[in-house]
């Protein structure tokens, strides 16, 4: 039976990820920095050294030091000079112009050969192009709300291969690479470049994006996936929830542990988000909840995105909007909106996740394929070469096993989740646990087995495994998350002494971030059951006091 379980394990891992394309090098990248800011060159040099970008592909342009740039300066100082450099350095080979249309309805690209696919904008390169009121273009074919010409610099530069066709700048244009499943088709010869930025609130955070990406490529992207949906029924906005739910399901089927917040508010600030590999949510205007008080911890390589109309209105900030704060909190890659894109113009999260996880796309490829329109409002922040799923799960698991890597527990957790998604029996999972020494030493895996028993109504068994997990090493937020799960269960199973001790420990270890009102209410009830009447009264008083805060 043991052999059969291992065969199932390996086959499951093999099926769980089929990469589409091997990792690319820095030779496919052109780096762009702001020559008026020395620190911008420092960020570019850091990226070039980490990704082996040829020196001839590191280009500086004299740009404003602000995050915004007027349209005329964008054209004269960045767009046209960059296009000229790409041609003169023979990074793009340019053929005869053609009036032929591509499948997207855009003019067919007259780039016949390309040595590059990526443009990486470095800290200091402006983020968004200001509206130009002097532009007079036909707009009758556009909806009223789309009759605008401001845009994210990133989004505008994706269409650089079509520059000589002089596309209209008012409103968005269809994305030639939208929904692509063949990443090789995302190429300047098909009219698009993959554009992203190594950017953030500080130069140090920007440099860290490539460092963490490379770390995750070498060691794997492990952790939990958090989805913050709204359970919205309004037809105009339901699409947002639907794509998040579809993304959550794809992530679950891949094997990640998925936690969903389905209410009409974001994760409460007292909810510990431990070991974040993925975070996707909507729709607070500015960063909120656990991301504001140290209750959220990102794993190296984590991808995070919050859907809001102005999530990337500025990047050099840590307390407003979303993109800057998420990067400051430790995310490795993200996307956001520089101005109102409208829901239909935002990245389709399920499209991104499928390509990034299942097809092994790079972050830049997946981000571009997920966007239905370009020349619009989306900024992509992170190393576009970042490809943590280039190896399938079988290969990654074998590497972890060979070097006895601590992340082996996460790989096993993904197998357990993958098998549960295939309706594997509890008997099969238990036998694998018994035959695998790692499971007995892992708080993560003991907690998972407790979750499985709890889901089947076997609460005594669940408590047993939770209790074992609490005796094993784990990080602070993982421990808090487990304690908040097990204490009410202990109380309901007539084990109030243990629940009382856990609640007291939470108050001691998390004096500033725990939900004091709820904890004091629970402590009051448990104290009353233990005949600690004076303490029960004091906890009731403290609960009332915190309810008024």
């Amino acid at each position: 039976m043991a052999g059969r379980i291992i065969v199932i394990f390996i086959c499951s891992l093999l099926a769980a990820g089929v990469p589409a394309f091997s990792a690319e090098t820095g030779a496919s990248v052109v780096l762009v920095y702001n020559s008026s800011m020395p620190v911008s060159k420092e960020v570019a040099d850091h990226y070039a050294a980490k990704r082996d970008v040829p020196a001839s592909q590191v280009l500086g342009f004299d740009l404003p030091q602000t995050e915004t740039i007027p349209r005329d300066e964008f054209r004269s100082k960045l767009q046209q000079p960059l296009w000229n450099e790409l041609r003169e350095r023979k990074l793009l080979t340019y053929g005869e112009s053609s009036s032929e249309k591509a499948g997207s309805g855009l003019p067919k690209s007259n780039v016949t050969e390309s040595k590059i696919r990526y443009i990486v904008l470095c800290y200091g390169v402006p983020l968004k192009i200001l509206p130009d009121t002097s532009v007079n273009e036909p707009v009758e074919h556009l909806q009223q709300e789309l009759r605008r010409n401001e845009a994210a610099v990133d989004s505008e530069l994706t269409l650089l291969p079509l520059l000589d066709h002089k596309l209209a700048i008012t409103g968005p244009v269809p994305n030639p690479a939208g929904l692509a499943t063949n990443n090789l088709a995302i190429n300047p010869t098909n009219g698009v470049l993959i554009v992203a930025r190594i950017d953030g609130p500080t130069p140090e955070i920007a440099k860290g994006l490539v460092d963490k990406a490379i770390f995750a490529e070498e060691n794997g992207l492990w952790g939990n996936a958090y989805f913050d949906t709204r359970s919205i029924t309004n037809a105009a906005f339901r699409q947002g929830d639907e794509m998040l739910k579809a993304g959550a399901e794809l992530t679950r089927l891949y094997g990640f542990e998925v936690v969903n917040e389905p209410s009409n508010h974001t994760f409460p600030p007292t909810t510990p988000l431990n070991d974040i590999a993925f975070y996707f949510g909507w729709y607070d205007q500015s960063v909120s909840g656990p991301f504001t008080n140290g209750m959220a911890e990102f794993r190296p390589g984590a991808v995070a995105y919050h859907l809001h109309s102005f999530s990337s209105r500025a990047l050099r900030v840590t307390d407003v909007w979303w993109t800057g704060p998420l990067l400051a909190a430790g995310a490795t890659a993200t996307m956001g909106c520089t101005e109102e894109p409208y829901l239909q113009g935002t990245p389709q999260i399920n499209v991104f996740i499928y390509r990034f996880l299942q097809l092994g796309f790079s972050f830049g490829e997946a981000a571009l394929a997920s966007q239905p329109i370009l020349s619009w409002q989306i900024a992509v922040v992170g190393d576009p070469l970042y490809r943590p799923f280039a190896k399938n799960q079988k290969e990654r698991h074998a590497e972890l096993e060979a070097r006895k890597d601590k992340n082996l527990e996460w790989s096993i957790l993904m197998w357990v989740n993958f098998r549960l998604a295939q309706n594997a029996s509890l008997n099969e999972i238990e036998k694998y646990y018994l035959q695998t020494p790692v499971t007995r030493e892992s708080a993560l895996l003991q907690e998972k087995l407790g979750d499985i028993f709890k889901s089947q109504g076997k609460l005594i068994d669940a408590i047993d495994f939770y209790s074992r997990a609490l005796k094993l090493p784990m990080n602070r937020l993982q421990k808090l998350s487990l304690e908040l799960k097990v204490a009410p269960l202990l109380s309901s199973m007539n084990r109030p002494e243990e629940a009382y001790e856990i609640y007291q420990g939470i108050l001691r270890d998390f004096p500033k971030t725990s939900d004091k009102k709820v904890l004091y209410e629970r402590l009051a009830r448990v104290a009353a059951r233990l005949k600690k009447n004076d303490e029960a009264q004091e906890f009731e008083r403290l609960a009332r006091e915190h309810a008024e805060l």
Side-chain angles (χ1 to χ4, degrees), residues 177-255:
L179 303 180
T181 53
N182 176 4
N183 57 351
L184 293 177
I186 306 175
N187 195 288
T189 57
N190 288 325
V192 289
L193 280 157
I194 301 166
V195 182
R197 57 178 57 237
I198 297 297
D199 208 337
T202 67
E204 291 70 31
I205 289 173
K207 292 176 185 177
L209 302 186
V210 63
D211 298 339
K212 290 183 287 189
I214 291 171
F215 181 90
E217 287 174 345
E218 293 174 348
N219 297 280
L221 175 55
W222 310 103
N224 302 314
Y226 296 89
F227 286 81
D228 202 336
T229 56
R230 298 169 68 192
S231 298
I232 200 162
T233 57
N234 182 298
F237 297 103
R238 193 169 56 229
Q239 175 190 342
D241 248 25
E242 288 175 348
M243 65 183 179
L244 284 172
K245 289 176 182 177
E249 183 63 7
L250 287 167
T251 308
R252 184 185 72 84
L253 291 173
Y254 192 83

Side-chain angles (χ1 to χ4, degrees), residues 534-546:
D534 290 343
E535 291 184 31
Q537 290 177 8
E538 177 62 9
F539 290 137
E540 288 174 356
R541 184 191 68 78
L542 289 168
R544 289 193 299 270
E545 183 179 293
H546 281 81

Side-chain angles (χ1 to χ4, degrees), residues 71 104 106 142 146 148-162 167-179 186-187 190-195 341 344-347 364-380:
R71 175 68 70 167
S104 62
L106 295 174
L142 292 171
L146 302 181
R148 301 148 43 203
N149 60 39
E150 76 273 14
V153 168
D154 312 35
S155 187
E156 201 69 87
L157 289 178
T158 58
L159 294 169
L160 200 60
L162 300 178
L167 300 177
I169 64 169
T170 304
V173 300
N175 179 4
L179 303 180
I186 306 175
N187 195 288
N190 288 325
V192 289
L193 280 157
I194 301 166
V195 182
Q344 291 72 23
T346 62
E365 292 167 339
L368 184 56
S370 72
Q371 297 177 55
I373 51 181
L374 300 174
S375 185
W376 201 227
Q377 315 302 332
I378 304 303
V380 177

Side-chain angles (χ1 to χ4, degrees), residues 109-170:
S109 174
N110 39 349
V111 174
T112 58
E113 185 180 348
S114 177
K115 295 180 180 179
I116 59 156
R117 295 203 304 147
Y118 298 88
I119 301 290
V120 175
L121 310 176
C122 296
Y123 179 92
V125 174
L127 172 67
K128 59 183 179 180
I129 305 163
L130 295 170
D132 187 344
T133 57
S134 69
V135 172
N136 184 17
E137 294 176 329
V139 296
E140 294 78 14
H141 63 292
L142 292 171
Q143 298 175 34
Q144 186 68 39
E145 59 270 19
L146 302 181
R147 296 176 183 181
R148 301 148 43 203
N149 60 39
E150 76 273 14
V153 168
D154 312 35
S155 187
E156 201 69 87
L157 289 178
T158 58
L159 294 169
L160 200 60
L162 300 178
L163 182 62
D164 288 354
H165 289 284
K166 302 187 184 305
L167 300 177
I169 64 169
T170 304

Side-chain angles (χ1 to χ4, degrees), residues 223-225 251-260 274-275 408-426 428-430 432-433 438-459 461-470 472-474 478-479 481-483 485-486 489:
N224 302 314
T251 308
R252 184 185 72 84
L253 291 173
Y254 192 83
F256 278 95
E257 189 78 8
V258 173
V259 179
N260 185 40
N274 62 286
D275 297 290
L408 185 62
E409 64 180 352
W410 288 102
S411 183
I412 292 172
L413 176 65
M414 292 186 75
W415 169 73
V416 171
N417 285 330
F418 188 81
R419 290 296 297 137
L420 290 172
Q422 295 179 317
N423 297 316
S425 68
L426 177 57
E428 177 189 318
I429 304 298
E430 279 191 282
Y432 179 75
Y433 265 72
V438 173
T439 63
R440 294 188 290 276
E441 303 162 3
S442 167
L444 181 74
L445 295 172
Q446 291 295 306
E447 179 182 356
K448 181 61 185 180
L449 196 53
D451 290 343
I452 296 171
F453 277 108
K454 182 182 177 184
S455 70
Q456 298 197 5
K458 299 181 179 182
L459 302 185
D461 291 315
I463 289 175
D464 183 34
F465 285 104
Y466 289 152
S467 298
R468 293 184 197 179
L470 286 170
L472 294 167
M474 66 181 80
Q478 182 186 2
K479 182 181 179 185
S481 178
L482 179 53
E483 286 174 334
K485 183 190 299 182
V486 73
L489 193 57

